[in-house]
Amino acid sequence: MASDHTRTSILAAAERLYADRGFGDVTLRDIVAEANVNLAAVNYHFGSKDELIAELFVTRSIATNRERLRELKAAEEEGGGRAPIEVILHALVGPTLRGCLGPENQRSTAARFMIRASIESVPPIRRIKNREIDHLRKFAGAMRRALPDRSDVDIYWGLNFALAMAHHTIRESERLTKLSEGKCDLDDVEDVVARVVSVATMALTAPRTEAKAPARALARDAR
Amino acid sequence: MASDHTRTSILAAAERLYADRGFGDVTLRDIVAEANVNLAAVNYHFGSKDELIAELFVTRSIATNRERLRELKAAEEEGGGRAPIEVILHALVGPTLRGCLGPENQRSTAARFMIRASIESVPPIRRIKNREIDHLRKFAGAMRRALPDRSDVDIYWGLNFALAMAHHTIRESERLTKLSEGKCDLDDVEDVVARVVSVATMALTAPRTEAKAPARALARDAR
DNA sequence: GATGGTTTCATACAAGTGTTTGAAATGCAA
DNA sequence: TTGCATTTCAAACACTTGTATGAAACCATC
């Protein structure tokens, strides 16, 4: 294994293509063409296409989770074991949003690949993805410490909605721009992060009965 | 065209399979097997696989939009041209959530197909999907009338977040159940609708400066 | 410089895809 | 019934996919 040149070329090319075009549209032949290597190299170095995807996903998954946890840990230590809910949510959605939105040149292939992975859910990834639940539980724990009065159910719903807003905004950024005729500026990433964090915080801190009861009654009528 | 039996069988089978397994995993041979018709029937009746998908999507798209607009119109007429924001949001996310969540037996194939379509975004659908923007604009208009003080930007972000929470919850319902160890009850559809509407309403009605400024300052620091 | 394991390469393979074909079957009007 | 358009069917087609093969090239070690 003198130099991993071929191996790393394949990984880089595959990640770039998958991030750009999704798993469904990219073939091994596309990848080896992009990487300037021979077709058989993929099976030689990775065993199969699925194992290539899995390796890509595992690597990036670990890196992403580490970055999010780093932000979270830092915030919690600073606050003596308890970080404000805004900061926790910020650590959760910030890295991904930053990597996927913003001006073309500063987007990260890694983040965009991870979003594809979270959307298209191809078999090799689905098998691995269950581990991510443990990672989210760490955030749920931090949120519980920040909001000891909230029920577990509310915590999980808040977590779910925070990820929902972040991921959906990334996926549908183009449509939102078109719909708003450019008024929503998806290039101002920090504004987007602030909006998501703000709404998620409201969802988690608003008094339950006041805001929810009317909507619930409404739903009953419509049934 | 004595009886559309073959045609309708294909449409029904295709919708069911696509709703269950997604576009990527379903072949024409799967569809004709499910429909008990000959393979060539698809191309005979629809021209191509893409045109079959397109017809399916157009039909369902029209039906869904009509249902949402019916709820919206009714609410606006009742309120003399201006419906409460909760009711508008309810008309936007209610039908889809109801069709995709809840006990197995009462879910609708149509709604689940539409969610697949909105997620996987296969070429024939992507081409049609632009029209949906006009449909969303009608909701944006109603929301503007309900909240005349809000800026257009805030309206579009609120709309975006409402759809985000609804769609993401549908897509990741299984993971949310697992993450919360069953504490979040995805079968109680009206509770889910109420939660989404509630949070979206807060996002749209909360005073801007109060809730958003700290988060924005936070983001600046993290940069 | 010869040796032997590692890596590359062109090529082939088997399986699966959407589509086409031309004949057979069907249904309906004259 | 005859004639004709519509619809069904089995079979084949052309193409793409991931994977496998065996020879060639490479490269460190002796």
Side-chain angles (χ1 to χ4, degrees), chain B residues 27-29 39-40 43 48-49:
Chain B
T27 72
L28 281 190
R29 284 169 176 81
L39 174 60
N43 285 276
S48 71
K49 182 191 187 183

Side-chain angles (χ1 to χ4, degrees), chain B residues 49-59 113 124-125 128:
Chain B
K49 182 191 187 183
D50 280 7
E51 290 175 82
L52 164 62
I53 294 177
E55 168 150 349
L56 223 38
F57 180 71
V58 168
T59 307
F113 169 84
I125 289 181
I128 302 168

Side-chain angles (χ1 to χ4, degrees), chain A residues 61-223:
Chain A
S61 187
I62 291 171
T64 304
N65 291 353
R66 191 164 39 206
E67 179 175 357
R68 297 210 283 209
L69 285 179
R70 194 184 50 74
E71 268 196 45
L72 176 64
K73 277 268 169 58
E76 283 206 309
E77 280 170 14
E78 192 179 354
R82 187 186 296 187
I85 185 66
E86 293 95 337
V87 182
I88 297 172
L89 292 169
H90 196 272
L92 181 68
V93 301
T96 304
L97 282 168
R98 260 188 289 275
C100 293
L101 296 180
E104 190 81 37
N105 53 36
Q106 60 180 264
R107 295 188 199 172
S108 103
T109 314
R112 278 163 47 242
F113 170 83
M114 287 303 285
I115 280 293
R116 285 283 188 192
S118 93
I119 291 171
E120 297 195 12
S121 178
V122 62
I125 288 181
R126 205 174 317 145
R127 281 193 288 271
I128 302 169
K129 217 172 161 188
N130 291 330
R131 303 180 204 163
E132 211 189 347
I133 290 199
D134 293 330
H135 176 251
L136 290 180
R137 286 235 171 81
K138 291 178 187 156
F139 273 88
M143 291 164 70
R144 229 188 323 259
R145 286 190 290 278
L147 306 168
D149 298 340
R150 302 306 279 197
S151 70
D152 277 8
V153 177
D154 284 359
I155 295 285
Y156 288 123
W157 274 110
L159 184 57
N160 176 63
F161 287 158
L163 290 174
M165 291 185 280
H167 285 194
H168 183 94
T169 300
I170 290 167
R171 291 203 305 120
E172 302 285 339
S173 61
E174 205 174 317
R175 191 171 67 161
L176 179 56
T177 302
K178 208 179 296 176
L179 174 65
S180 71
E181 289 165 323
K183 287 173 192 158
C184 294
D185 182 9
L186 277 296
D187 281 351
D188 185 354
V189 186
E190 296 310 329
D191 179 61
V192 177
V193 174
R195 282 178 185 275
V196 171
V197 169
S198 160
V199 175
T201 302
M202 281 191 283
L204 280 159
T205 56
R208 282 272 308 177
T209 49
E210 190 184 334
K212 192 142 299 171
R216 201 191 293 261
L218 212 88
R220 291 261 158 63
D221 292 343
R223 217 190 311 205

Side-chain angles (χ1 to χ4, degrees), chain B:
Chain B
M1 194 192 292
S3 86
D4 283 352
H5 175 261
T6 302
R7 238 187 94 90
T8 50
S9 295
I10 292 173
L11 285 170
E15 181 171 50
R16 194 160 0 125
L17 290 178
Y18 285 143
D20 285 345
R21 297 165 26 196
F23 294 99
D25 292 352
V26 176
T27 72
L28 281 190
R29 284 169 176 81
D30 293 333
I31 294 173
V32 299
E34 179 87 358
N36 276 310
V37 301
N38 186 271
L39 174 60
V42 173
N43 285 276
Y44 177 78
H45 284 282
F46 298 94
S48 71
K49 182 191 187 183
D50 280 7
E51 290 175 82
L52 164 62
I53 294 177
E55 168 150 349
L56 223 38
F57 180 71
V58 168
T59 307
R60 288 312 181 191
S61 189
I62 290 171
T64 305
N65 291 353
R66 190 164 41 205
E67 180 177 355
R68 296 209 283 210
L69 284 178
R70 193 184 51 72
E71 268 195 46
L72 176 63
K73 278 267 168 60
E76 283 206 309
E77 279 169 14
E78 192 179 354
R82 186 186 299 186
I85 185 67
E86 292 95 337
V87 181
I88 297 172
L89 292 170
H90 196 271
L92 181 68
V93 302
T96 304
L97 281 169
R98 260 188 290 274
C100 293
L101 295 180
E104 191 80 38
N105 53 37
Q106 61 179 263
R107 296 188 199 172
S108 105
T109 313
R112 278 162 48 240
F113 169 84
M114 287 303 284
I115 280 292
R116 285 283 188 191
S118 93
I119 291 171
E120 298 195 12
S121 177
V122 61
I125 289 181
R126 207 175 315 145
R127 281 193 289 271
I128 302 168
K129 217 171 162 188
N130 291 331
R131 300 179 204 163
E132 211 190 347
I133 290 200
D134 292 331
H135 176 253
L136 289 181
R137 286 235 171 78
K138 290 177 187 157
F139 273 88
M143 291 164 69
R144 232 189 321 261
R145 285 191 290 279
L147 305 168
D149 298 339
R150 303 306 280 197
S151 69
D152 277 9
V153 177
D154 284 358
I155 295 285
Y156 288 123
W157 274 110
L159 184 57
N160 176 64
F161 286 157
L163 290 174
M165 290 185 282
H167 285 193
H168 183 93
T169 300
I170 290 167
R171 290 202 306 117
E172 303 285 339
S173 61
E174 206 175 317
R175 192 171 65 160
L176 179 55
T177 301
K178 208 179 298 178
L179 174 64
S180 72
E181 290 166 319
K183 287 173 192 158
C184 294
D185 182 10
L186 277 297
D187 281 350
D188 185 354
V189 186
E190 296 310 330
D191 179 63
V192 177
V193 174
R195 283 178 184 275
V196 171
V197 169
S198 162
V199 174
T201 301
M202 282 191 282
L204 280 159
T205 56
R208 282 275 304 178
T209 47
E210 191 184 334
K212 194 143 297 172
R216 201 189 296 259
L218 213 88
R220 291 258 159 63
D221 292 342
R223 214 188 317 201

